[in-house]
Amino acid sequence: DAAKPAHGFVRTKLWTIDRTEASADTVRVTLSTATTDADRPLWPHAARVELVVTLGATLDLVLATQNTGATPFELTEALHTYFAVGDIADVTVEGFDGQSYTDKLDDNARKLQAGTIRFTAEVDRIYDAHTGAATIVDAGLKRRIDITKSGSCSSVVWNPWSAKAARLGDLGPDGWRRYVCVETCNAGADVVTVAPGTKHTMTAQYRVTAL
């Protein structure tokens, strides 16, 4: 529904910091938000959402959605992770060889990935049935970012390239060169059903190592 908020309404909701914890080598922050009566026109269900962020040797994200209502609901979700890179032209993404995907730039055509993902133009793809690891290889910054996940059966890979970046208006002249999105999600046809009184948990872990 194009009249509703892009990427869902939870993206712009206010969150509460429930607690913070620190140890010698980690910091953990727990945030939460919940649906209200004002959200009913957008999504007529009752839910509480919790995000636990742990910073240490890795960055760990745990997103849990609890059904606090009396009826089941369907859920899609994504961690919109924007990774800084040296130059998108020098970046490859591994872990998708042989995976099918929906090409959002080609009328949602179904295609098959062959080899690593490279960027020579705008890329906007939903890799469904993707539950494994992924790796961003960044020759410019001489590092790799390894991504592992659970509770997610799809991934999105996106970079707007120059023409769309100009239409977006907030990236600057070369901002599109400096990032890539590899998103842990349940998106497209990958829809999760959450029964009353239960919750669905999606996790992602990011580790940076030198090339």
Side-chain angles (χ1 to χ4, degrees):
D1 185 347
K4 293 183 179 179
H7 301 305
F9 68 97
V10 173
R11 182 175 66 93
T12 56
K13 287 182 67 66
L14 293 177
W15 292 63
T16 299
I17 299 176
D18 291 335
R19 59 188 176 276
T20 60
E21 306 163 79
S23 65
D25 53 4
T26 61
V27 173
R28 179 174 292 120
V29 180
T30 302
L31 307 100
S32 66
T33 190
T35 58
T36 65
D37 289 341
D39 299 321
R40 301 291 183 190
L42 298 172
W43 197 65
H45 304 287
R48 180 181 183 275
V49 187
E50 181 181 83
L51 177 66
V52 181
V53 182
T54 304
L55 300 166
T58 60
L59 168 61
D60 297 346
L61 303 180
V62 179
L63 181 67
T65 304
Q66 182 179 10
N67 185 340
T68 57
T71 58
F73 60 67
E74 292 185 334
L75 171 71
T76 58
E77 58 189 343
L79 298 169
H80 293 277
T81 39
Y82 287 57
F83 296 97
V85 298
D87 190 314
I88 188 64
D90 298 324
V91 168
T92 59
V93 180
E94 300 174 349
F96 294 92
D97 185 28
Q99 293 280 326
S100 62
Y101 66 89
T102 299
D103 190 342
K104 297 180 69 177
L105 303 176
D106 189 15
D107 198 27
N108 292 321
R110 301 286 299 145
K111 300 180 180 179
L112 192 67
Q113 180 66 40
T116 59
I117 302 171
R118 300 177 183 275
F119 301 86
T120 57
E122 181 182 358
V123 170
D124 193 355
R125 303 170 181 172
I126 303 174
Y127 287 85
D128 51 14
H130 181 256
T131 58
T135 299
I136 299 167
V137 181
D138 181 0
L141 295 183
K142 295 181 173 57
R143 67 179 186 176
R144 56 185 287 140
I145 304 171
D146 293 305
I147 306 166
T148 55
K149 62 178 184 171
S150 66
S152 161
C153 292
S154 53
S155 296
V156 167
V157 178
W158 179 64
N159 179 275
W161 216 250
S162 54
K164 185 168 186 177
R167 296 196 303 271
L168 293 174
D170 60 356
L171 290 173
D174 293 315
W176 58 274
R177 289 187 176 275
R178 308 300 177 205
Y179 76 91
V180 65
C181 291
V182 180
E183 304 173 8
T184 295
C185 54
N186 292 288
D190 175 22
V191 178
V192 175
T193 299
V194 185
T198 68
K199 66 180 179 181
H200 171 75
T201 301
M202 183 173 71
T203 74
Q205 182 181 84
Y206 313 97
R207 181 183 297 273
V208 179
T209 56
L211 287 179

